[in-house]
Amino acid sequence: MIATGGAPREVLTVVADEFAATTAALIGDAMRAAVSARGKCRIVLAGGRTPAAVYRVLAADATVSWGQVSAFIGDERCVPPDHAESNYRMINDTLLSAVTMEEDRIFRLRGELGGAAAAAEYDAMLDALGGEPKFDIVLSGVGADGHTASLFPGDPMVDQATGWAMRSVAPAAFAISDRVGLTLRALNSTRLQVVLCTSDDKKPVRQRIFSGAADAALLPAARLSGTERTVWVVDPD
Ligand code: 6PG
């Protein structure tokens, strides 16, 4: 078990048909618990493709009091919000446009500003946002290379970044290189960390991370944790 400094890793194994409903129930429960405990819920939403099905189920959960929810974005590709590669566009299409939330409680990462400017803006906003941990729930994805959000293996800033948001450059294999996203410090400033790691192409990196191999410990995804719970949602081996 790789020590992440947070709550120990729990593994929730789900078959494909149950993935969206099971994950949405886990998140919905945590959102309700946050609102009843603190009168509000701060959630960081992940980009990529995997969360889309979860968001559609969550959007239909009428027992979540969306009026008390603040939504943040884990990372963004530096494109306009209506661009096909925009994480905000996916999140808005599958969730935010389907629920009733205060406009000023949706904290979009303005990728269209470019990585550096968007990071500075989001960092200042998060810095001004009191309370630690910053978030009640962070939803994170994982890439087959072990990246999460826009934290890529080998990027020294993954360790050096001390703020809440940073610019990064995705490897050549990715469509959009200019990225902005939360730092590891910000992603781990949460009570509940939910890591989505399903699909065959991610099994090798997941097995390496779970094996405790020293090199895997350095992968950004391996370093995700929550202060109360760290839950990896995976598919059967
Ligand atoms: C992004 C994401 C990224 C994503 C992983 C997994 O901007 O692409 O934040 O970190 O979570 O690449 O992506 P999939 O869910 O599409 O496999």
Side-chain angles (χ1 to χ4, degrees):
M1 178 83 70
I2 296 172
T4 62
R9 183 179 298 119
E10 302 167 46
V11 179
L12 179 57
T13 302
V14 290
V15 295
D17 297 359
E18 292 161 11
F19 166 68
T22 304
T23 309
L26 171 71
I27 297 166
D29 289 347
M31 294 178 80
R32 284 182 286 277
V35 170
S36 69
R38 289 171 290 279
K40 66 177 192 287
C41 174
R42 290 178 181 163
I43 183 169
V44 174
L45 300 165
R49 293 166 308 233
T50 306
V54 176
Y55 294 153
R56 289 193 186 91
V57 175
L58 197 56
D61 185 344
T63 65
V64 171
S65 40
W66 293 97
Q68 287 151 289
V69 174
S70 296
F72 304 82
I73 311 289
D75 77 313
E76 186 58 281
R77 299 89 178 257
C78 292
V79 292
D82 57 357
H83 189 285
E85 289 286 334
S86 163
N87 281 334
Y88 172 77
R89 176 174 162 178
M90 180 277 287
I91 293 168
N92 189 50
D93 288 353
T94 57
L95 178 60
L96 301 178
S97 61
V99 298
T100 308
M101 288 181 65
E102 311 290 330
E103 226 6 79
D104 62 4
R105 285 187 174 224
I106 297 175
F107 296 88
R108 187 171 70 80
L109 262 167
R110 299 203 294 160
E112 68 272 23
L113 299 178
E121 180 183 70
Y122 218 65
D123 190 71
M125 179 275 291
L126 287 173
D127 218 28
L129 201 71
E132 287 224 24
K134 290 271 180 210
F135 309 112
D136 297 288
I137 307 156
V138 167
L139 194 57
S140 300
V142 178
D145 61 352
H147 82 265
T148 187
S150 280
L151 302 179
F152 294 95
D155 180 348
M157 287 306 293
V158 171
D159 282 299
Q160 290 165 10
T162 55
W164 302 106
M166 59 181 250
R167 177 188 183 239
S168 66
V169 177
F174 293 82
I176 309 290
S177 61
D178 195 15
R179 300 281 192 113
V180 55
L182 297 189
T183 59
L184 192 57
R185 175 193 180 200
L187 289 171
N188 287 349
S189 184
T190 182
R191 292 180 174 84
L192 169 63
Q193 176 78 237
V194 179
V195 183
L196 305 181
C197 190
T198 55
S199 74
D200 288 346
D201 66 325
K202 298 171 188 178
K203 284 199 171 112
V205 75
R206 187 233 298 168
Q207 286 154 357
R208 269 180 61 216
I209 290 173
F210 287 10
S211 74
D215 62 336
L218 304 175
L219 294 172
R223 308 188 43 211
L224 291 167
S225 65
T227 58
E228 295 174 10
R229 294 186 71 189
T230 306
V231 180
W232 279 61
V233 182
V234 306
D235 47 0
D237 278 334

